Amino acid sequence: YQAQQAEIVGLARQRRDEEALDILKGGALQTFGLLTGKLRTLGRIAQEGTAEVRSASASVQARVLYGNLGALLVTIVLGLLIARSLNRTISGGLGYAAQLTRKVAQGDLSMNIDNSRTDEVGQLLNSLKDMQASLSQVVSRVRHGSEGVATASAEIAQGNQDLSARTESQASALEETAA
């Protein structure tokens, strides 16, 4: 086709229009028709390919969308599970601490405070353990002191009875002497 085009242009420049038209109407026109047919075929193939690519692209987009939605769902579920676990961990320790303080408030200082935690709740439990030990010492000292007071009271009461008995005895002796 390019060779025929160059020949037609050359003849047209030489002012040999009739010969150029003969070539143009003859072989060049047939070649142009063949090329046009092939271009139409290529255009149709390109359109079909474009449709296939669009279909494949839509399929890939749908898969990516569903994959992203699935990943989002998994992330949400994991986040909820982690939040639930943290909530149980924190509230479980605080619930145990509240139970211990209720027992102390009721006067029960005999419970064993078990603490293996190192976080803020663990510090709270250690403080409760220290408070329990201090209160136990205070109660022990008060008991010891009250036992001393009870012993002294008993001795005073005994002394009062002895004094009362002697006073009665002297009063009797005075009555006998006076009579």
Side-chain angles (χ1 to χ4, degrees), residues 28-101:
L29 192 57
Q30 289 175 354
T31 306
F32 183 74
L34 287 173
L35 288 176
T36 304
K38 288 184 180 188
L39 282 175
R40 283 189 187 122
T41 303
L42 285 174
R44 190 180 68 250
I45 291 170
Q47 287 177 347
E48 291 171 1
T50 301
E52 288 177 15
V53 167
R54 281 185 185 149
S55 174
S57 175
S59 174
V60 167
Q61 284 177 342
R63 280 185 265 157
V64 167
L65 176 66
Y66 292 135
N68 285 341
L69 288 176
L72 179 63
L73 182 64
V74 167
T75 303
I76 289 171
V77 168
L78 285 176
L80 289 173
L81 290 174
I82 290 170
R84 182 177 176 205
S85 173
L86 286 174
N87 187 24
R88 282 186 177 182
T89 300
I90 292 170
S91 65
L94 292 176
Y96 180 60
Q99 177 186 6
L100 292 174
T101 55

Side-chain angles (χ1 to χ4, degrees), residues 145-176:
S146 66
E147 287 172 1
V149 168
T151 303
S153 294
E155 288 175 0
I156 290 172
Q158 183 63 39
N160 283 342
Q161 281 183 344
D162 289 344
L163 180 61
S164 177
R166 280 182 289 177
T167 302
E168 282 182 30
S169 157
Q170 285 181 358
S172 290
L174 276 175
E175 278 183 19
E176 285 178 18

